Amino acid sequence: MKLPQPLTLRPFRPADDAPVLRSWVAGPLDLMTWAGPHFTWPLDDAQLAAYAAEPGRRTWTAVSPDGTPDGTPLGHVSLADGRLGRVLIAPGARGRGLGESLVSLTVSVGFDELALPEIALGVWTHNTAALRIYEKLGFRTTETLEGVETVDGEPWSVHRMRLTASDRRQ
């Protein structure tokens, strides 16, 4: 089994990273899947800069240490007030275990550096790949909200999940 390449987190730099991030979100459906109703299509640099500047939000670009000065951008993630969100892997890098690495790194920052007592998240119930990652890392569903959004005439439901610092250590 091929191990995923290592990732590191560096702060999201809107001027440099927003165009790359926008290229990973191909249309309104991808945007809703990634960020819920918090952005409007078409996604633009101004929306991403405002998002990155929100008080209490920490945003990162996941990069591969590949010899380039800052590494190749392979993912994006944020933490805001103990909520993990906006997890995205570059389309060409999916299926290699990088999502798990990205979430694991972010959880480590949340618990080890920020001393959060718990990390919560929301994930669409049909996003099975993300659900597998979160469950593997110890997140548990605390509530399911049915039909919170309607996308292309279909109701989308969300699982609220959480991981406590004490559960992580077990």
Side-chain angles (χ1 to χ4, degrees), residues 4-169:
Q5 62 195 94
L7 290 178
T8 58
L9 297 178
R10 69 162 167 74
F12 177 72
R13 301 181 304 229
D16 298 326
D17 298 330
V20 174
L21 182 56
R22 280 190 299 101
S23 76
W24 298 344
V25 181
L29 187 64
D30 285 348
L31 183 61
M32 179 62 80
T33 300
W34 172 59
H38 303 286
F39 295 103
T40 58
W41 184 259
L43 184 60
D44 59 35
D45 293 351
Q47 290 180 78
L48 290 169
Y51 145 76
E54 290 173 7
R57 181 174 300 280
R58 295 183 59 164
T59 56
W60 296 278
T61 298
V63 296
S64 171
D66 60 5
T68 60
D70 287 323
T72 300
L74 294 173
H76 177 85
V77 67
S78 74
L79 268 176
D81 301 320
R83 286 192 57 83
L84 175 73
R86 310 304 192 285
V87 178
L88 188 63
I89 296 295
R94 293 178 186 159
R96 295 192 257 166
L98 297 177
E100 182 179 341
S101 296
L102 176 57
V103 173
S104 183
L105 279 170
T106 309
V107 165
S108 291
V109 169
F111 289 136
D112 301 337
E113 294 178 30
L114 302 177
L116 296 172
E118 72 176 38
I119 297 175
L121 61 87
V123 60
W124 300 117
T125 58
H126 63 273
N127 191 345
T128 56
L131 281 166
R132 279 193 302 271
I133 290 169
Y134 300 138
E135 289 171 347
K136 184 175 182 181
L137 293 175
F139 283 86
R140 296 296 171 246
T141 299
T142 58
E143 181 179 24
T144 300
L145 303 174
E146 301 292 337
V148 295
E149 291 290 331
T150 300
V151 180
D152 291 338
E154 296 292 322
W156 283 22
S157 300
V158 69
H159 289 306
R160 287 188 176 167
M161 302 181 83
R162 75 179 192 133
L163 176 65
T164 66
S166 60
D167 288 341
R168 177 179 176 241
R169 291 188 197 101

